[in-house]
Amino acid sequence: MIIEPAGMQDLLAQLKAARETMASGIASRVGGKADAGGGLGGVGGAGTDFGALLKSTIGKVDASQQTANTMSDRFQMGDPKVSLEDTMIALSKANLSFQELVQVRNRVVSAYHDIMNLQI
């Protein structure tokens, strides 16, 4: 497999444009303050709501699982528009996203226990 240099230059240009777009979006949400790396200016930057982020992530995981279940049901019913490959990929994505969510939950609980056991 040969990769053309011109194609790589186009890809790099697209990645740069996407990074700049993302950095400008973050800067506008934080009020025009972004560090040189394009990240948030400080820890727990302004406008970052952990509860909303967690709720959004749980919603995405749930939607992924519902999509996978729907595809599985449609495949089992013999829908010709749903292939086995697409169904298996959707099920795998749903499984991975759920496992990731469980690991995040475990780390949050572990951090909570560590904080509660601190001597003051």
Side-chain angles (χ1 to χ4, degrees), residues 4-16:
E4 296 178 20
M8 290 300 291
Q9 293 301 326
D10 291 340
L11 181 60
L12 288 173
Q14 289 175 358
L15 286 172
K16 263 187 188 179

Side-chain angles (χ1 to χ4, degrees), residues 62-77:
D62 183 50
S64 173
Q65 288 182 337
Q66 287 188 8
T67 300
N69 287 336
T70 301
M71 287 184 74
S72 175
D73 291 342
R74 288 177 56 197
F75 178 76
Q76 290 175 6
M77 298 298 281

